[in-house]
Amino acid sequence: MGMVTAKITETKEKPLLKHIRRLWKYRLLYVLLLPATAWVLIFDYLPLYGISIAFMDYNAIQGFSGSEWVGFKYFRMLFESELFLHAFKNTLLISLYKMISGFLCPILLALALNEVRVAWFKKSLQTAVYLPRFVSWVVYGGIITLLLSPETGVINKIIEFFGGDPAYLLVEPAYFRTILVVTDAMKEMGWAAIIYIAAIAGLNPEMYEAAIMDGASRFGRIIHITVPGIMGTIIVIFILRVGYIMSAGLDQVINLYNPMVFEVGDILDTYIYRVGIEQFSLSLAAAADVIKGTIGLVILLVANQFAKRINDSGIF
């Protein structure tokens, strides 16, 4: 009986000992992982406790322990606020437009760059389209303001050349959302295209050679080889972009919008900034941020399941 017990204990300990040996063998790799793990815990998970501010009448002096819990009071206030609902609507519209342009433009750019055969010209184009990504929205917004200026702006000079009247486009509500979408795509599509270019580079060149032998045109090779070959990458990037549908770009909007376009330019991020920083209503701002994050999470989960059903591809 004692021998049987010893064997059972030995059998149970073996996997544990094996796991410990594996951990010890790769201990240096785990040590290298510690800074990244600490970063995620400190800056991503610990701040989640701040969500509780949305459910209490938070007072910065009294702190978390001294503030009174009020349940869903501030959530009800938000859904009764016309300013919040208006910002919510603008966020959805602008984010949807940006998602479409920001999703399609990098794919088209990557496909176009892949077809450039002159090496130096291809590298020059890549550098040119990557550069805007490294310019802050403060600087980039100033450039856009100068380009759209009614007096000295290049865009208005072109309009005048074709017989039109100059206009200050940044104060025209009818054009403001279009300006946001176009300038965002111009700034980000070069950087976003890197992933697609890398995916294209990983495709088997023998498939292109076989297609050429079969008489496929360049456009035919793109449609039947390149696009299907990177479809998995396209789906993953699409799901990730869907997760940010409630983020319309605080840096961009806050540097470009003005009271004249407040009706079409006020988004959830600017609403949260205005309520939380300027009015110091932290509980109301936190409630708005919780709504924003929850909706984004739900949409992400739905998009991921939808992608799995269609193409058996997803991020988790």
Side-chain angles (χ1 to χ4, degrees), residues 280-302:
F280 206 67
S281 181
L282 299 179
S283 296
L284 194 62
D289 198 43
V290 168
I291 292 173
K292 170 188 166 185
T294 303
I295 294 175
L297 176 61
V298 171
I299 293 176
L300 174 64
L301 294 175
V302 171

Side-chain angles (χ1 to χ4, degrees), residues 118-277:
V118 183
W120 67 267
F121 185 59
K122 182 177 181 178
K123 291 180 179 179
S124 300
L125 283 177
Q126 287 178 322
T127 303
V129 295
Y130 293 166
L131 280 179
R133 176 66 172 75
F134 301 99
V135 179
S136 71
W137 269 111
V138 176
V139 176
Y140 199 70
I143 295 173
I144 293 169
T145 303
L146 291 175
L147 289 175
L148 298 178
S149 170
E151 298 176 355
T152 59
V154 175
I155 305 300
N156 275 294
K157 293 298 181 182
I158 295 173
I159 293 174
E160 287 182 348
F161 179 79
F162 288 100
D165 297 323
Y168 199 174
L169 300 175
L170 279 176
V171 301
E172 293 288 342
Y175 302 123
F176 187 71
R177 287 175 182 163
T178 303
I179 292 172
L180 290 180
V181 174
V182 172
T183 54
D184 180 75
M186 291 174 61
K187 187 175 189 297
E188 301 293 337
M189 67 177 179
W191 183 255
I194 293 176
I195 299 175
Y196 300 113
I197 293 173
I200 293 172
L203 297 178
N204 189 350
E206 293 181 358
M207 294 189 297
Y208 291 97
E209 294 172 4
I212 294 173
M213 293 293 293
D214 290 337
S217 64
R218 179 172 292 187
F219 182 74
R221 296 195 295 271
I222 292 174
I223 296 298
H224 298 291
I225 297 177
T226 308
V227 174
I230 63 172
M231 187 55 67
T233 304
I234 291 174
I235 291 174
V236 171
I237 298 300
F238 176 76
I239 295 172
L240 293 175
R241 287 198 66 88
V242 167
Y244 289 94
I245 196 169
M246 297 306 297
S247 298
L250 173 63
D251 292 341
Q252 180 192 23
V253 176
I254 208 167
N255 280 288
L256 291 179
Y257 90 145
N258 53 77
M260 299 294 291
V261 294
F262 183 83
E263 181 181 356
V264 297
D266 190 37
I267 58 175
L268 284 179
D269 291 323
T270 54
Y271 176 85
I272 292 170
Y273 173 82
R274 190 169 59 253
V275 171
I277 304 299

Side-chain angles (χ1 to χ4, degrees), residues 55-59 62-71 74 283:
F55 303 94
M56 61 175 65
D57 193 4
Y58 182 74
N59 187 300
Q62 296 175 346
F64 288 96
S65 58
S67 300
E68 179 186 358
W69 288 90
V70 293
Y74 289 102
S283 296

